[in-house]
Amino acid sequence: MFRLEPRKELSRKMFYLTPLLALALTLVAGGIMFIALGKDPFTALYTIFIGPLTTFRGFAELLVKATPLILIAVGLALGFRANVWNIGAEGQYVIGALAGGSVALAAYPGGGYWLLPLMCVVGAAGGAAWAAIPALLKTRFNANEILVSLMLTYVAILLLSVLVDGPLRDPEGLNFPESRLFQNAARMPALIPHTRAHIGFIAAILAALLAQLALARHVIGYQIRVIGAAPAAARFAGFSETRIVWTCLLVSGALAGLAGLFEAAGPVGQIVPQLPNNYGFTAIIVAFLGRLHPLGIIASGLLMALTYIGGDAAQVALGLPSAVKSVFQGFLLFFLLAVDVLVTYRIRWMRRGMVL
Amino acid sequence: MDLLANILIGVIVASTPLVFAAIGELVAEKSGVLNLGVEGMMIMGAIAGFAALISTGNHPLALVAAMAGGAVTALLFAILTQTLLANQVASGLALTMFGFGISALWGQGYSGQSAGPFPRLNIPGLTDIPLIGKLIFGEDYMVYISLAVVAAVWWFLNRTRGGLVLRAVGENHDAAHAIGFSVVGIRTLALMFGGAMAGLGGAYLSLVQTPLWAENMTSGRGWIALALVVFSAWKPWRCLAGAYIFGGVTILQLHAQALGVSIPAQYMSMLPYLATIVVLVIISRDKVQLQFNAPASLGKVFYAAS
């Protein structure tokens, strides 16, 4: 039996150690899962976590997948710190892709150097507008932002499916529900030539650095940190809760919208119903694994991107089902939440029958 | 008139998964724990029940398996939030993602198979009454079980000592602990009941409604159930009424098409989600009333200092 004793102050060592501990536990649990599936655990783990990094193409794909994860997670983390739970990033991502992508289609086949920046602005605005709905309903009517933002995700995905089957459908296509391919002026410039890695990755890193700067230096960042650390103190200090809710939701919505636009204008190159790829939900894990810290999120975003690529590789090479990826991600968040207890408590083991 | 009876039967079929999931979550929340993982527990129940039915062909056994699937998933949540004192919101999300992953993995070999028809109540004479016979006496057994569960939960919460203890833990866990009740134990049991019910709700989808297994087949119903608990003001009968209203909204989309309303199906499919938002806004507007209804310790971490 054991007992939890509160620490006098948070353990900084544990704060940084627990993500690694969670990762180690995930690898063990994953290995056991592979044995249960009748596969050699070492080959499987190698295929997922090391294999993709050994090729140039794999490395480039890592940047492709990490881009939306980092962008979205940075925004979500701001909110999570202040107890604003935007769970609907997936929907904001879809709306961003729809709004920004529509600009490209409207300009088709024209466009110049101005087109892509305009698409980015409209995409971010679209995501922010979608996130403004839970912000408004939360601040005006006290409606739970978790449920509202999540419900809007389903609405957004249905909206995507209507629009690609109607107004956005490729007029020269074979009636498939997808838009035409974007013109060159509407595509993300490549970061590494001849790969799908695009400059959106730079934007994601910049977003993380800016968020870090805002948290450390800007007054709203300070307020977010205080609300997270001591909600009562924040209330006494008279911080406007309304302002925090709006800021967190608009920023995370805009970043999710931007991520969606990057995906549509980057690796995908058109608007298709398959655009939502669970990035909005996986980014929640990325945010926690990165300790809700923008710089940590860059690291955890890259790691989580690895599970995407490695999962696909394992599917091809070992015939493992694609669901293995989601199981891994679920394990990771589970173990992280479990071992996080070590940050605030210490474990005291004791013999049965010992009297306190 | 036959059309009306058919519509009502459709409403009941669409509502029953929500009734199960919402009444289970209601009990968990009454004990003071907010489990956002209803969706994950439902999908685990859906696959557990389906897998059990395919391998045994025994319906009662399948329902037991579904309850076990949901309850075991809920136990994970209980360990995280009650023993390891993890954040309840994050743990609920983890539960949902985990449930999706595991169920998809487990369900690999089952896609494309059919569970076959679920047994229905059939009382000769009564079930054959025109119009209302099939509606009242001819539903599948799970509909009657769901109604019995709602009644039992109402009775337990309001008329038994156990219910009183559970509510006490939800209202003020420190006081309940001081009197000598095991807060963690009671909450774990309440969570597992919630998981078992969510599992039945999921199994209703995979065994009765469709009846087959498909990845992500819960499509947000667990989250709608969470909204229903808020809507119900944590009262079992209002929970049942809310679930039936939502089932009605879902059925509306199917019949609007049959009646020749010519808007894309996707717009109609948005209705349940939009309705959830509208209901949340209406019910949450009065902050004081909401706080008055909600269990006072809901979502708060309990640490037993001594």
Side-chain angles (χ1 to χ4, degrees):
Chain A
M1 285 301 287
F2 66 87
R3 226 189 102 71
L4 297 172
E5 284 181 354
R7 292 178 191 273
K8 288 217 174 58
E9 48 189 301
L10 302 186
S11 162
R12 289 199 77 77
K13 195 175 73 187
M14 281 302 172
F15 187 74
Y16 295 110
L17 214 58
T18 45
L20 298 176
L21 194 56
L23 181 61
L25 287 169
T26 303
L27 292 180
V28 173
I32 295 170
M33 176 178 73
F34 289 127
I35 294 172
L37 289 169
K39 310 278 176 192
D40 175 35
F42 295 102
T43 324
L45 290 175
Y46 180 88
T47 315
I48 293 177
F49 287 97
I50 313 278
L53 297 175
T54 56
T55 65
F56 184 65
R57 212 191 128 266
F59 179 73
E61 280 297 300
L62 191 69
L63 303 188
V64 173
K65 304 277 194 231
T67 302
L69 290 175
I70 294 172
L71 266 177
I72 299 172
V74 163
L76 294 184
L78 292 179
F80 291 174
R81 278 187 164 208
N83 269 322
V84 179
W85 298 91
N86 177 7
I87 305 302
E90 186 86 353
Q92 293 138 24
Y93 166 98
V94 167
I95 298 297
L98 273 176
S102 300
V103 173
L105 295 173
Y108 190 87
Y113 65 91
W114 51 268
L115 181 56
L116 194 59
L118 182 66
M119 287 164 65
C120 291
V121 170
V122 174
W130 207 244
I133 301 172
L136 177 74
L137 299 184
K138 168 86 177 178
T139 54
R140 184 82 180 72
F141 301 110
N142 186 38
N144 183 311
E145 77 278 16
I146 299 178
L147 291 170
V148 173
S149 63
L150 196 101
M151 290 296 132
L152 285 173
T153 296
Y154 290 100
V155 176
I157 292 173
L158 287 164
L159 196 62
L160 169 69
S161 133
V162 184
L163 291 181
V164 291
D165 207 9
L168 298 182
R169 190 169 54 199
D170 183 358
E172 288 148 33
L174 296 162
N175 261 339
F176 286 125
E178 53 187 39
S179 81
R180 58 165 102 235
L181 286 169
F182 292 169
Q183 60 275 40
N184 278 335
R187 298 296 302 270
M188 298 291 286
L191 180 65
I192 308 171
H194 310 299
T195 67
R196 302 202 307 162
H198 54 84
I199 57 163
F201 184 72
I202 307 288
I205 301 295
L206 278 178
L209 294 177
L210 272 177
Q212 175 57 24
L213 203 65
L215 277 174
R217 294 272 181 269
H218 195 273
V219 63
I220 195 87
Y222 173 71
Q223 295 189 347
I224 286 174
R225 281 188 294 145
V226 173
I227 287 193
R235 267 195 300 279
F236 283 125
F239 295 171
S240 159
E241 207 188 318
T242 305
R243 200 169 138 216
I244 303 267
V245 170
W246 272 102
T247 310
C248 290
L249 277 162
L250 286 183
V251 170
S252 57
L255 287 174
L258 198 59
L261 183 268
F262 282 176
E263 195 69 7
V268 180
Q270 62 186 135
I271 300 177
V272 290
Q274 298 82 24
L275 216 47
N277 196 4
N278 257 342
Y279 288 131
F281 294 110
T282 312
I284 296 170
I285 310 180
V286 171
F288 279 109
L289 198 64
R291 310 266 56 167
L292 304 183
H293 188 294
L295 302 181
I297 285 171
I298 297 178
S300 62
L302 286 166
L303 176 71
M304 203 59 83
L306 195 56
T307 63
Y308 266 85
I309 310 161
D312 290 345
Q315 204 180 339
V316 177
L318 304 169
L320 283 169
S322 65
V324 162
K325 184 170 62 192
S326 336
V327 176
F328 255 104
Q329 293 170 351
F331 270 146
L332 203 48
L333 185 52
F334 249 135
F335 284 125
L336 182 71
L337 290 167
V339 294
D340 249 1
V341 70
L342 298 173
V343 177
T344 34
Y345 297 88
R346 77 174 85 242
I347 289 182
R348 158 92 58 92
W349 296 95
M350 40 191 194
R351 274 164 312 197
R352 204 166 273 280
M354 198 167 112
V355 182
L356 276 167
Chain B
M1 276 312 280
D2 239 17
L3 178 70
L4 186 66
N6 277 333
I7 290 179
L8 288 178
I9 289 172
V11 170
I12 290 173
V13 169
S15 312
T16 302
L18 295 173
V19 174
F20 277 119
I23 200 73
E25 176 67 14
L26 185 143
V27 171
E29 289 193 14
K30 268 287 182 193
S31 81
V33 199
L34 180 64
N35 183 355
L36 293 182
V38 182
E39 185 88 1
M41 302 187 300
M42 274 184 98
I43 197 89
M44 285 300 281
I47 184 60
F50 192 83
L53 185 68
I54 292 292
S55 52
T56 65
N58 183 326
H59 282 98
L61 209 61
L63 295 187
V64 171
M67 287 201 282
V72 168
T73 318
L75 186 61
L76 288 175
F77 179 87
I79 293 171
L80 276 183
T81 59
Q82 303 307 307
T83 313
L84 299 172
L85 311 178
N87 178 307
Q88 294 183 8
V89 173
S91 303
L93 294 171
L95 205 64
T96 293
M97 295 180 191
F98 188 70
F100 273 114
I102 293 279
S103 64
L105 195 61
W106 189 359
Q108 284 283 312
Y110 293 105
S111 50
Q113 300 192 48
S114 170
F118 199 87
R120 301 181 152 274
L121 187 66
N122 189 2
I123 307 170
L126 287 178
T127 309
D128 305 325
I129 300 173
L131 304 181
I132 59 160
K134 270 185 72 183
L135 182 64
I136 300 176
F137 301 107
E139 303 287 347
D140 58 82
Y141 283 105
M142 282 185 81
V143 170
Y144 303 105
I145 298 176
S146 73
L147 298 176
V149 167
V150 174
V153 164
W154 175 84
W155 178 78
F156 173 75
L157 286 177
N158 297 303
R159 292 287 181 271
T160 67
R161 187 181 148 75
L164 188 65
V165 171
L166 183 129
R167 285 187 289 141
V169 167
E171 292 297 339
N172 189 336
H173 49 213
D174 290 319
H177 173 72
I179 305 172
F181 294 121
S182 164
V183 173
V184 171
I186 289 163
R187 285 188 170 165
T188 303
L189 286 178
L191 281 167
M192 288 181 70
F193 175 78
M197 289 306 112
L200 280 184
Y204 194 85
L205 297 173
S206 64
L207 299 181
V208 185
Q209 216 183 67
T210 34
L212 40 80
W213 161 253
E215 267 180 45
N216 301 357
M217 69 185 304
T218 44
S219 58
R221 286 187 185 79
W223 296 98
I224 293 179
L226 278 160
L228 278 174
V229 177
V230 181
F231 167 79
S232 75
W234 293 269
K235 294 182 177 75
W237 292 114
R238 274 183 67 169
C239 192
L240 180 73
Y244 275 35
I245 294 171
F246 266 81
V249 173
T250 316
I251 283 304
L252 195 67
Q253 51 170 322
L254 298 177
H255 285 276
Q257 266 152 24
L259 293 172
V261 181
S262 67
I263 56 172
Q266 290 97 328
Y267 286 119
M268 301 305 288
S269 306
M270 289 176 192
L271 278 179
Y273 307 116
L274 293 175
T276 307
I277 295 176
V278 171
V279 161
L280 267 176
V281 165
I282 294 171
I283 216 76
S284 313
R285 243 177 32 197
D286 191 346
K287 218 169 183 170
V288 178
Q289 187 65 36
L290 190 72
Q291 270 172 6
F292 180 72
N293 287 331
S297 293
L298 186 61
K300 293 189 183 135
V301 171
F302 169 71
Y303 172 73
S306 58

